Amino acid sequence: MKLTINENLYLELIKVSDSETIFNIINTQREYLGEWLPFVQYIKEVADEENFIKSALETMEQTKEYVFCIRKDGRLVGLISFIKPDIANQKTEIGYWISKDYQKQGIVTQATKRLCEFAFNELGMNRVQLRCAVGNLPSKGIPKRLGFTFEGIERHGERVSEGIFRDLEVYSKLKDKFLTL
């Protein structure tokens, strides 16, 4: 599955063959990505990434937890996905990360907008949510630019490591407000 954003930018369903590229980005940018993404500490070798992708692919169609590679000019630059979609209540969350080399180009903002279109128009979702760590200014700029509503702080919403938790800012967009994107 491919979701086109423009002639240079698109989202493509993740494949096992992407494992090494994804691992190499994570491995060479551990400090940068690990500051906000707790999963980085668990990806220690290519096999860890392969196992994640295989697991995601096994259940993707049933759970609608689609994981997409963000590609710019054909090059994999990050990932964006739905997190724990709730089909019965027509809501989902979007998570994302991008290589340090592709920051500040509007790529994740455009990818998030395109994934919202997919959620509302193809999956029948009514609500899309984003959660960003308090203090992660680049990440929380995305829902602000896309007109999401700030709903509040989820206290200790993410476990960073054993006994250490981080507060998260919660933003949402409803389908009937989507036309304002």
Side-chain angles (χ1 to χ4, degrees):
M1 181 183 326
K2 182 176 175 180
L3 304 177
T4 302
I5 298 169
N6 60 43
E7 63 276 356
N8 302 319
L9 195 59
Y10 60 93
L11 308 178
E12 183 177 56
L13 214 51
I14 199 167
K15 303 180 297 289
V16 175
S17 59
D18 295 316
S19 300
E20 192 169 344
T21 304
I22 295 167
F23 173 77
N24 288 337
I25 294 170
I26 291 170
N27 199 40
T28 59
Q29 299 180 24
R30 284 191 182 280
E31 188 176 332
Y32 168 74
L33 294 171
E35 180 179 359
W36 303 112
L37 303 169
F39 73 84
V40 168
Q41 64 189 310
Y42 303 110
I43 306 297
K44 295 180 172 143
E45 54 189 69
V46 175
D48 296 328
E49 189 60 38
E50 282 178 6
N51 290 336
F52 162 74
I53 293 172
K54 286 176 184 174
S55 174
L57 290 171
E58 280 177 20
T59 59
M60 200 176 287
E61 207 46 54
Q62 179 185 2
T63 63
K64 304 302 183 203
E65 281 193 39
Y66 294 107
V67 181
F68 292 93
C69 296
I70 303 170
R71 295 192 184 273
K72 181 174 183 187
D73 300 320
R75 170 174 243 142
L76 193 152
V77 300
L79 294 184
I80 188 165
S81 63
F82 293 123
I83 301 169
K84 297 183 183 119
D86 179 343
I87 305 303
N89 290 302
Q90 295 176 266
K91 63 183 181 176
T92 191
E93 182 175 333
I94 293 176
Y96 44 75
W97 64 263
I98 191 164
S99 167
K100 185 178 184 177
D101 303 332
Y102 290 89
Q103 280 277 309
K104 300 184 190 304
Q105 297 178 31
I107 293 171
V108 178
T109 300
Q110 292 175 75
T112 300
K113 181 179 179 183
R114 182 64 182 93
L115 212 55
C116 284
E117 290 170 2
F118 182 69
F120 291 131
N121 299 329
E122 304 298 319
L123 298 182
M125 295 295 172
N126 183 60
R127 172 189 164 90
V128 172
Q129 174 177 293
L130 299 175
R131 293 182 310 149
C132 311
V134 170
N136 187 344
L137 300 179
S139 190
K140 73 182 193 180
I142 292 163
K144 289 180 177 187
R145 281 190 291 280
L146 293 175
F148 277 61
T149 299
F150 174 69
E151 294 187 339
I153 304 292
E154 182 180 342
R155 297 176 304 139
H156 287 206
E158 180 175 60
R159 190 178 83 153
V160 180
S161 61
E162 192 61 41
I164 307 292
F165 295 86
R166 172 185 293 151
D167 294 345
L168 301 172
E169 294 186 18
V170 180
Y171 296 86
S172 71
K173 189 77 162 174
L174 302 179
K175 185 175 185 174
D176 64 348
K177 304 292 184 208
F178 179 65
L179 298 175
T180 64
L181 271 181

